[in-house]
Amino acid sequence: MAENKNWKEKWSGKDAVKFLWEESSKRAKGPKALAMSADACLCLLRYKATFHDYMSLRLFARSAKQRESFLTTKMVQAEKKKWDPVVMDKVDDKKKFNELFPELIHREWIDLDEVSFEVFRDFVGRHNDFFLKPKRESSGIGIGRFNASEIKDLPSFYEEKKKLNVLCEESVRMHEKFRELNPQSMSQVRVVTVLGSKGINILATTLRTGGRKDITFNTARNDIFCQVDVNTGKCFTVGVDENSKEFTHHPVSGIEFKGFEIPKFKEMIE
């Protein structure tokens, strides 16, 4: 079993302060590190930028005008509060989302709260490799990957997990090119869109892939981002992780990021 760790320590509480000091100390020493930490606190107040935003967006190296151009985490959180809670509930609840968009899921799933042991047993019989996901968590928190053949007492496993309010899903099968990039991590492309008066506008497309061999959620730990040309479907930048470290080649496969072509890109855009 591989289970993702909780990474919310970067966003609030004492762990956020620890994260800020550790990251400031990597980039500066002594009084300069203190000054950077103080600047991050000012950005939290002025731009609603979390300490994680401050580091990942490199606000410490940007002008006031540049800082104002970012949509920060707390700005997004404030905006979400304005949205219809009924609609948001359908997006936040993974079960409701799956039911709302069945044609987009492309994987079998069951709600462990609502099915009998026999249904669960038959499911894992079809899908030896499967995931359990909390219905309302995000960022990969609480997700576990399991191999049915390694579970010694399946009835006890079912009774234990049934209490956790989770979905059970078969593993997604990646395209061969993504498996070559990193066979252990679900590589994906995020398409950033804005719905305007003239239709859907695509602002950017970004490749996201795990940077290690272990199972990981691709924006939570050890992830690498790479910008994709909207017109060609090819990566045109080096990879970069959330600590701003750059990679010309993928650290697992050695595949060069620049020029890497996203499979089925045209179909995805359409």
Side-chain angles (χ1 to χ4, degrees):
M1 172 222 175
E3 187 170 359
N4 210 21
K5 303 295 184 180
N6 187 328
W7 71 303
K8 285 186 175 179
E9 70 273 6
K10 296 178 181 177
W11 301 81
S12 62
K14 294 181 180 179
D15 288 327
V17 175
K18 179 181 177 182
F19 165 79
L20 173 62
W21 179 245
E22 288 177 347
E23 293 299 316
S24 296
S25 298
K26 289 178 184 178
R27 294 167 172 82
K29 300 298 180 183
K32 290 185 178 180
L34 285 172
M36 181 176 286
S37 296
D39 184 51
C41 293
L42 289 175
C43 284
L44 178 62
L45 296 174
R46 184 173 298 174
Y47 307 110
K48 301 184 186 303
T50 65
F51 297 155
H52 183 263
D53 289 336
Y54 183 81
M55 294 301 173
S56 64
L57 300 177
R58 296 180 62 83
L59 297 185
F60 53 82
R62 302 188 186 278
S63 66
K65 185 176 181 179
Q66 290 173 328
R67 290 175 172 185
E68 290 174 353
S69 69
F70 285 97
L71 183 64
T72 60
T73 297
K74 289 190 176 296
M75 290 169 66
V76 172
Q77 292 172 346
E79 187 64 29
K80 280 186 174 182
K81 292 180 180 179
K82 304 175 185 178
W83 298 350
D84 186 338
V86 175
V87 174
M88 284 303 300
D89 182 61
K90 294 178 181 179
V91 176
D92 286 338
D93 187 306
K94 293 182 178 65
K95 179 187 177 183
K96 293 179 180 178
F97 184 92
N98 287 1
E99 292 173 335
L100 191 61
F101 301 105
E103 71 280 6
L104 302 178
I105 303 304
H106 299 296
R107 60 185 179 273
E108 187 179 0
W109 62 275
I110 55 176
D111 183 348
L112 216 57
D113 292 340
E114 298 183 357
V115 301
S116 64
F117 169 72
E118 288 72 24
V119 171
F120 171 69
R121 180 193 59 199
D122 292 344
F123 180 93
V124 299
R126 294 189 299 275
H127 309 294
N128 184 64
D129 189 53
F130 65 95
F131 282 81
L132 295 182
K133 298 180 179 180
K135 295 176 189 176
R136 288 188 174 275
E137 270 294 3
S138 62
S139 305
I141 296 168
I143 290 179
R145 183 183 184 183
F146 302 89
N147 187 298
S149 62
E150 297 176 356
I151 300 174
K152 296 180 180 180
D153 188 344
L154 196 60
S156 296
F157 179 90
Y158 164 77
E159 292 297 335
E160 175 190 348
K161 302 303 181 184
K162 191 176 177 68
K163 305 172 184 177
L164 301 180
N165 195 30
V166 295
L167 297 184
C168 182
E169 297 186 349
E170 68 169 302
S171 296
V172 176
R173 294 175 294 278
M174 286 191 294
H175 189 280
E176 181 61 32
K177 287 197 68 175
F178 279 157
R179 285 201 297 271
E180 292 175 357
L181 191 64
N182 188 349
Q184 293 297 325
S185 174
M186 178 57 65
S187 298
Q188 56 186 289
V189 175
R190 169 160 288 187
V191 182
V192 183
T193 62
V194 172
L195 180 61
S197 59
K198 295 183 180 180
I200 296 174
N201 300 287
I202 298 175
L203 299 184
T205 47
T206 305
L207 169 68
R208 295 153 54 157
T209 180
R212 294 185 181 178
K213 293 182 178 180
D214 54 341
I215 306 301
T216 179
F217 173 73
N218 288 349
T219 56
R221 291 188 180 278
N222 310 313
D223 55 309
I224 297 174
F225 304 82
C226 188
Q227 288 300 109
V228 180
D229 189 308
V230 176
N231 297 311
T232 66
K234 294 182 179 181
C235 296
F236 65 92
T237 69
V238 298
V240 61
D241 65 15
E242 62 179 9
N243 294 317
S244 302
K245 183 179 179 180
E246 295 185 351
F247 301 83
T248 58
H249 296 71
H250 196 289
V252 174
S253 63
I255 293 175
E256 186 174 4
F257 281 111
K258 281 188 177 181
F260 179 80
E261 188 169 0
I262 304 300
K264 295 187 178 294
F265 187 82
K266 182 179 178 181
E267 292 88 340
M268 179 183 66
I269 294 299
E270 291 174 351

